[in-house]
Amino acid sequence: MKNQEQHPASPETSAIAQFGYDLRKLRQEAKLSYGAIALSSYYSKSAVWGADQGHNLPSPNLLKAFVTACGGDPDEWIARRNTLAGAEAGRGANQRQMPRSQDLPAPDPAEASTPDEYVDALKKLREWSGLSFREVAQRTEHLPKRVAPSTLCAALQRTSLPSRKLVESFLIAADLPSPEQEVWLRVWQRLKDGKSRERPSSPQTARPDQVTLEQADDQLIDRSPGSPKPSAFHLRDWVLVDGEWREAEAGRPRTPLRQRIRQELRTWSHLSMSQSVVMAILLITVILLILVAVSGPSLPIE
């Protein structure tokens, strides 16, 4: 879109801007998003967005779809639109060229990651080509798959993928070059197979707070009470004995840090299991004592 069309036009600037403002007000009162209106019509989100921005008058068909979705009277709005179009025609304010005639590139379907995004791209392609539904049907008369106006209209209102043959015929009718047609069909097949858009993988870079095992071995020190602190912060000069760090004896082989940690974990694991066994025995003893106290002393049998 053009830079000057990024924001809605002020209603006081022109009659067309006021018309767009009234359309925006109608949409806001209906509490509909541009995407919701696009789903209920065969127009793309960008086309629906441009209808109420007040920079140009929407086409009668687009206006009818817009107003109908918002619950308004399309005949009343179209009559108002035609009045404005007749008033502005002399100054050429409403004459717009199709994107294709302005040498603008065709829409790129590669960004579509879902079937509804692909359908929206097809809507943009039809708007870019400037073809009506009848013109598409006329251009596909000689093809194996003729695309009737009603068929294409219904396909562009769904959120599911249209058939491959319909897409192939539509791309030919839009007069796209063969390489661009292949791109559209590859994306269609990718979505048909249930695959999302492939994103370029970014190189994995280590965060500043991530350190390697060797760095941790050099930097790790013990700060627990009663544990000796290494004079030089070098963990390889210390060994883990009974849960405490002790200075390695001269000539004593040093256990690698990874192995020392595993040994310590095993020790704590055994201690935890022993404690569990003791607690279970105590619990069973308490239960037995309670049962004896409740039942009372047994009477001798005469």
mmCIF file of all heavy atoms in Angstrom, residues 153-172:
data_model
loop_
_atom_site.group_PDB
_atom_site.id
_atom_site.type_symbol
_atom_site.label_atom_id
_atom_site.label_comp_id
_atom_site.label_asym_id
_atom_site.label_seq_id
_atom_site.Cartn_x
_atom_site.Cartn_y
_atom_site.Cartn_z
ATOM 1 N N CYS A 153 -16.075 -18.029 -6.933
ATOM 2 C CA CYS A 153 -16.587 -17.178 -5.851
ATOM 3 C C CYS A 153 -16.723 -17.977 -4.559
ATOM 4 O O CYS A 153 -16.341 -17.519 -3.484
ATOM 5 C CB CYS A 153 -17.929 -16.588 -6.265
ATOM 6 S SG CYS A 153 -18.703 -15.561 -5.002
ATOM 7 N N ALA A 154 -17.259 -19.198 -4.660
ATOM 8 C CA ALA A 154 -17.429 -20.028 -3.469
ATOM 9 C C ALA A 154 -16.077 -20.466 -2.912
ATOM 10 O O ALA A 154 -15.889 -20.527 -1.692
ATOM 11 C CB ALA A 154 -18.272 -21.254 -3.807
ATOM 12 N N ALA A 155 -15.119 -20.769 -3.791
ATOM 13 C CA ALA A 155 -13.802 -21.219 -3.328
ATOM 14 C C ALA A 155 -13.080 -20.126 -2.562
ATOM 15 O O ALA A 155 -12.352 -20.409 -1.601
ATOM 16 C CB ALA A 155 -12.955 -21.670 -4.522
ATOM 17 N N LEU A 156 -13.269 -18.869 -2.957
ATOM 18 C CA LEU A 156 -12.588 -17.764 -2.297
ATOM 19 C C LEU A 156 -13.295 -17.319 -1.018
ATOM 20 O O LEU A 156 -12.793 -16.428 -0.333
ATOM 21 C CB LEU A 156 -12.461 -16.576 -3.253
ATOM 22 C CG LEU A 156 -11.593 -16.819 -4.492
ATOM 23 C CD1 LEU A 156 -11.476 -15.549 -5.320
ATOM 24 C CD2 LEU A 156 -10.218 -17.340 -4.125
ATOM 25 N N GLN A 157 -14.423 -17.922 -0.718
ATOM 26 C CA GLN A 157 -15.110 -17.613 0.533
ATOM 27 C C GLN A 157 -14.846 -18.661 1.602
ATOM 28 O O GLN A 157 -15.233 -18.478 2.753
ATOM 29 C CB GLN A 157 -16.621 -17.508 0.301
ATOM 30 C CG GLN A 157 -17.028 -16.324 -0.574
ATOM 31 C CD GLN A 157 -18.538 -16.186 -0.665
ATOM 32 O OE1 GLN A 157 -19.223 -16.047 0.339
ATOM 33 N NE2 GLN A 157 -19.069 -16.240 -1.868
ATOM 34 N N ARG A 158 -14.180 -19.750 1.227
ATOM 35 C CA ARG A 158 -13.891 -20.806 2.193
ATOM 36 C C ARG A 158 -12.533 -20.582 2.831
ATOM 37 O O ARG A 158 -11.710 -19.800 2.350
ATOM 38 C CB ARG A 158 -13.926 -22.175 1.511
ATOM 39 C CG ARG A 158 -15.264 -22.531 0.878
ATOM 40 C CD ARG A 158 -15.284 -23.988 0.474
ATOM 41 N NE ARG A 158 -16.523 -24.339 -0.230
ATOM 42 C CZ ARG A 158 -16.616 -24.468 -1.539
ATOM 43 N NH1 ARG A 158 -15.545 -24.308 -2.296
ATOM 44 N NH2 ARG A 158 -17.767 -24.778 -2.096
ATOM 45 N N THR A 159 -12.287 -21.322 3.916
ATOM 46 C CA THR A 159 -10.979 -21.295 4.575
ATOM 47 C C THR A 159 -10.176 -22.552 4.284
ATOM 48 O O THR A 159 -9.071 -22.706 4.790
ATOM 49 C CB THR A 159 -11.154 -21.166 6.102
ATOM 50 O OG1 THR A 159 -11.961 -22.258 6.578
ATOM 51 C CG2 THR A 159 -11.825 -19.853 6.458
ATOM 52 N N SER A 160 -10.725 -23.443 3.462
ATOM 53 C CA SER A 160 -10.018 -24.660 3.077
ATOM 54 C C SER A 160 -9.389 -24.479 1.704
ATOM 55 O O SER A 160 -9.754 -23.573 0.945
ATOM 56 C CB SER A 160 -10.979 -25.853 3.068
ATOM 57 O OG SER A 160 -12.065 -25.607 2.179
ATOM 58 N N LEU A 161 -8.449 -25.365 1.389
ATOM 59 C CA LEU A 161 -7.762 -25.279 0.106
ATOM 60 C C LEU A 161 -8.716 -25.627 -1.039
ATOM 61 O O LEU A 161 -9.435 -26.632 -0.962
ATOM 62 C CB LEU A 161 -6.572 -26.242 0.082
ATOM 63 C CG LEU A 161 -5.292 -25.814 0.790
ATOM 64 C CD1 LEU A 161 -4.277 -26.944 0.744
ATOM 65 C CD2 LEU A 161 -4.707 -24.554 0.177
ATOM 66 N N PRO A 162 -8.720 -24.844 -2.104
ATOM 67 C CA PRO A 162 -9.476 -25.254 -3.288
ATOM 68 C C PRO A 162 -8.772 -26.419 -3.976
ATOM 69 O O PRO A 162 -7.635 -26.754 -3.644
ATOM 70 C CB PRO A 162 -9.486 -23.996 -4.160
ATOM 71 C CG PRO A 162 -8.294 -23.219 -3.720
ATOM 72 C CD PRO A 162 -8.085 -23.532 -2.272
ATOM 73 N N SER A 163 -9.428 -27.024 -4.948
ATOM 74 C CA SER A 163 -8.823 -28.153 -5.640
ATOM 75 C C SER A 163 -7.618 -27.692 -6.453
ATOM 76 O O SER A 163 -7.511 -26.525 -6.858
ATOM 77 C CB SER A 163 -9.845 -28.819 -6.557
ATOM 78 O OG SER A 163 -10.194 -27.937 -7.626
ATOM 79 N N ARG A 164 -6.705 -28.617 -6.685
ATOM 80 C CA ARG A 164 -5.491 -28.279 -7.435
ATOM 81 C C ARG A 164 -5.826 -27.874 -8.873
ATOM 82 O O ARG A 164 -5.231 -26.938 -9.408
ATOM 83 C CB ARG A 164 -4.538 -29.473 -7.427
ATOM 84 C CG ARG A 164 -3.202 -29.179 -8.102
ATOM 85 C CD ARG A 164 -2.318 -30.405 -8.155
ATOM 86 N NE ARG A 164 -1.058 -30.125 -8.829
ATOM 87 C CZ ARG A 164 0.054 -29.764 -8.210
ATOM 88 N NH1 ARG A 164 0.079 -29.641 -6.894
ATOM 89 N NH2 ARG A 164 1.163 -29.519 -8.892
ATOM 90 N N LYS A 165 -6.788 -28.570 -9.481
ATOM 91 C CA LYS A 165 -7.143 -28.236 -10.868
ATOM 92 C C LYS A 165 -7.726 -26.829 -10.965
ATOM 93 O O LYS A 165 -7.480 -26.109 -11.934
ATOM 94 C CB LYS A 165 -8.128 -29.272 -11.403
ATOM 95 C CG LYS A 165 -7.514 -30.652 -11.609
ATOM 96 C CD LYS A 165 -8.520 -31.611 -12.228
ATOM 97 C CE LYS A 165 -7.888 -32.975 -12.490
ATOM 98 N NZ LYS A 165 -8.855 -33.923 -13.100
ATOM 99 N N LEU A 166 -8.528 -26.455 -9.962
ATOM 100 C CA LEU A 166 -9.076 -25.094 -9.971
ATOM 101 C C LEU A 166 -7.956 -24.066 -9.869
ATOM 102 O O LEU A 166 -7.964 -23.059 -10.593
ATOM 103 C CB LEU A 166 -10.067 -24.930 -8.822
ATOM 104 C CG LEU A 166 -10.825 -23.596 -8.749
ATOM 105 C CD1 LEU A 166 -12.227 -23.809 -8.192
ATOM 106 C CD2 LEU A 166 -10.094 -22.569 -7.888
ATOM 107 N N VAL A 167 -6.991 -24.321 -8.989
ATOM 108 C CA VAL A 167 -5.869 -23.383 -8.845
ATOM 109 C C VAL A 167 -5.058 -23.311 -10.132
ATOM 110 O O VAL A 167 -4.666 -22.224 -10.574
ATOM 111 C CB VAL A 167 -4.986 -23.807 -7.654
ATOM 112 C CG1 VAL A 167 -3.737 -22.937 -7.579
ATOM 113 C CG2 VAL A 167 -5.755 -23.715 -6.349
ATOM 114 N N GLU A 168 -4.810 -24.466 -10.755
ATOM 115 C CA GLU A 168 -4.040 -24.476 -12.004
ATOM 116 C C GLU A 168 -4.736 -23.647 -13.083
ATOM 117 O O GLU A 168 -4.097 -22.838 -13.767
ATOM 118 C CB GLU A 168 -3.855 -25.920 -12.482
ATOM 119 C CG GLU A 168 -2.920 -26.746 -11.614
ATOM 120 C CD GLU A 168 -2.869 -28.192 -12.063
ATOM 121 O OE1 GLU A 168 -3.735 -28.588 -12.878
ATOM 122 O OE2 GLU A 168 -1.975 -28.932 -11.602
ATOM 123 N N SER A 169 -6.037 -23.830 -13.249
ATOM 124 C CA SER A 169 -6.774 -23.073 -14.261
ATOM 125 C C SER A 169 -6.794 -21.584 -13.937
ATOM 126 O O SER A 169 -6.653 -20.732 -14.829
ATOM 127 C CB SER A 169 -8.202 -23.611 -14.374
ATOM 128 O OG SER A 169 -8.208 -24.953 -14.785
ATOM 129 N N PHE A 170 -6.951 -21.266 -12.652
ATOM 130 C CA PHE A 170 -6.986 -19.854 -12.259
ATOM 131 C C PHE A 170 -5.635 -19.176 -12.520
ATOM 132 O O PHE A 170 -5.588 -18.028 -12.963
ATOM 133 C CB PHE A 170 -7.374 -19.740 -10.794
ATOM 134 C CG PHE A 170 -7.388 -18.326 -10.283
ATOM 135 C CD1 PHE A 170 -8.268 -17.395 -10.791
ATOM 136 C CD2 PHE A 170 -6.500 -17.915 -9.298
ATOM 137 C CE1 PHE A 170 -8.280 -16.088 -10.323
ATOM 138 C CE2 PHE A 170 -6.503 -16.619 -8.827
ATOM 139 C CZ PHE A 170 -7.394 -15.700 -9.342
ATOM 140 N N LEU A 171 -4.541 -19.873 -12.240
ATOM 141 C CA LEU A 171 -3.214 -19.298 -12.474
ATOM 142 C C LEU A 171 -2.982 -19.054 -13.961
ATOM 143 O O LEU A 171 -2.370 -18.048 -14.348
ATOM 144 C CB LEU A 171 -2.136 -20.225 -11.918
ATOM 145 C CG LEU A 171 -2.152 -20.434 -10.396
ATOM 146 C CD1 LEU A 171 -1.082 -21.438 -9.993
ATOM 147 C CD2 LEU A 171 -1.954 -19.126 -9.658
ATOM 148 N N ILE A 172 -3.471 -19.975 -14.802
ATOM 149 C CA ILE A 172 -3.337 -19.779 -16.249
ATOM 150 C C ILE A 172 -4.182 -18.598 -16.700
ATOM 151 O O ILE A 172 -3.753 -17.783 -17.524
ATOM 152 C CB ILE A 172 -3.739 -21.072 -16.993
ATOM 153 C CG1 ILE A 172 -2.757 -22.201 -16.649
ATOM 154 C CG2 ILE A 172 -3.779 -20.834 -18.499
ATOM 155 C CD1 ILE A 172 -3.155 -23.541 -17.222
#
